[in-house]
Structure formats: structure tokens, C-alpha cells
Amino acid sequence: MEITHSTPQDIDAIFNLYDQATEHMKKVGLLFWQGFERSLIQKEINENRHYKILVDGQLACTFCIAHNDPAIWKEKDKDPAVYIHRIATNPLLRGNSYVKHIVAWATRFAKENQRSFVRLDTGSGNDKLNNYYISCGFNYLGVTKLDDVSSLPAHYKHGSFSLFEIPLN
């Protein structure tokens, strides 16, 4: 297993994983992704914030990070943190604990970059996913409603969101 930067050549495969993840979300969750702009993914790739997990050369999982997330984390965004977004796993490879590998990677990355927290959010109401994030080492911080979602992808425009963090101090 290898975690490495995504490249422009990966965009079609990334969107394929997003589409498959969205279909899975529709079956198991209350909130699901409503598509992403290719320009967003290209920007993340250009900024070296988009990653992929390869297993035997096959795309197993993808995710991105951010260093700020004020629309979701509001006042807490002032804390130095790494925010994990858009984890999508190849359905043929689910069950291999990729989130735990991402958390270990993000924890090392955060420490190396003088960050105090690893954070993520997800749509509220999906107890199975919430419990999985807790099993990956996150503390559940509760549910938030968002105010200004104009800078966020479409799925943030409705509903509430569960917040999770791992303090590194």
C-alpha cells in the first residue's frame, strides 16, 4: 500500500470512485454527494492536497486535505489543523481499513507541519459511519448547522454535519 499525490492523469479514476461512493451513500446514508467540479479536483492536485492510495498499482482510495475550513469549523478554524475531505474507496477493496491508514498518514503529516489537530466532518445521522470514525481514533464533537455554504460543494447546502477531531498534543 502506498499513499502518494494524485496527478492530473488520475482525475477520471477519481471521479469514477466519487460516482461509486455516491451510489453507496444513497443506499446507506441520509446525505450524499451531489457531484464536484473538475476544476476543484484539479486545483487540489495542483496544490499537492489531493492523494491516492495504491495497492498493487490499483487505485484503492482517494482523499484530499485542507489547512483551513472556516465554513464548517467556524471559530475552531483558528486552530492549526489538517482537515480530511472526500474519502472515496474502490468498492472492490472496501473493508481494508483505508481510513485508519489515512488517519495515521494525516497524523504524521500534521505533526510534521506543526498542526495540533486532524479533523473531518460528515453528514449527520449516519451512526455506522460516525462510529467507524470514532473507532479510527476521532473524538466526536457533535453536530453543527452551517451558515454560509457558498464556498462549499452542493451537498453542504442541506442538512447538518457531524464533526470529528484528533488532538495531537
Side-chain angles (χ1 to χ4, degrees), residues 43-61:
K43 181 176 189 269
E44 292 166 349
I45 289 171
N46 292 345
E47 294 173 350
N48 291 321
R49 297 187 300 108
H50 205 285
Y51 295 86
K52 60 187 174 184
I53 297 177
L54 298 175
V55 175
D56 297 326
Q58 181 178 12
L59 181 60
C61 190

Side-chain angles (χ1 to χ4, degrees), residues 10-156:
D10 297 320
I11 289 180
D12 288 339
I14 291 167
F15 273 90
N16 184 42
L17 284 188
Y18 287 165
D19 291 344
Q20 293 177 71
T22 300
E23 290 307 310
H24 182 70
M25 288 175 192
K26 288 178 181 179
K27 294 175 189 169
V28 301
L30 305 174
L31 185 71
F32 54 88
W33 292 338
Q34 297 177 21
F36 303 103
E37 296 292 327
R38 288 179 81 86
S39 61
L40 171 67
I41 308 315
Q42 184 64 56
K43 181 176 189 269
E44 292 166 349
I45 289 171
N46 292 345
E47 294 173 350
N48 291 321
R49 297 187 300 108
H50 205 285
Y51 295 86
K52 60 187 174 184
I53 297 177
L54 298 175
V55 175
D56 297 326
Q58 181 178 12
L59 181 60
C61 190
T62 185
F63 67 98
C64 68
I65 63 167
H67 299 288
N68 298 95
D69 202 350
I72 296 171
W73 287 85
K74 303 172 186 170
E75 283 296 311
K76 285 182 168 277
D77 186 61
K78 292 178 182 173
D79 301 330
V82 171
Y83 301 89
I84 303 170
H85 286 288
R86 263 180 282 114
I87 300 169
T89 301
N90 182 329
L92 300 174
L93 299 172
R94 278 194 190 111
N96 288 300
S97 302
Y98 294 119
V99 173
K100 290 181 181 179
H101 293 290
I102 292 168
V103 168
W105 176 91
T107 299
R108 284 190 305 275
F109 181 90
K111 288 177 180 178
E112 290 167 4
N113 289 278
Q114 293 76 48
R115 303 293 172 159
S116 300
F117 299 94
V118 174
R119 292 178 171 155
L120 60 75
D121 68 274
T122 191
S124 63
N126 186 338
D127 291 338
K128 183 177 179 182
L129 185 57
N130 288 351
N131 289 330
Y132 180 65
Y133 287 148
I134 291 167
S135 79
C136 291
F138 285 95
N139 296 324
Y140 174 67
L141 301 182
V143 173
T144 188
K145 290 260 188 192
L146 304 181
D147 303 320
D148 179 9
V149 296
S150 61
S151 64
L152 298 174
H155 66 274
Y156 283 104

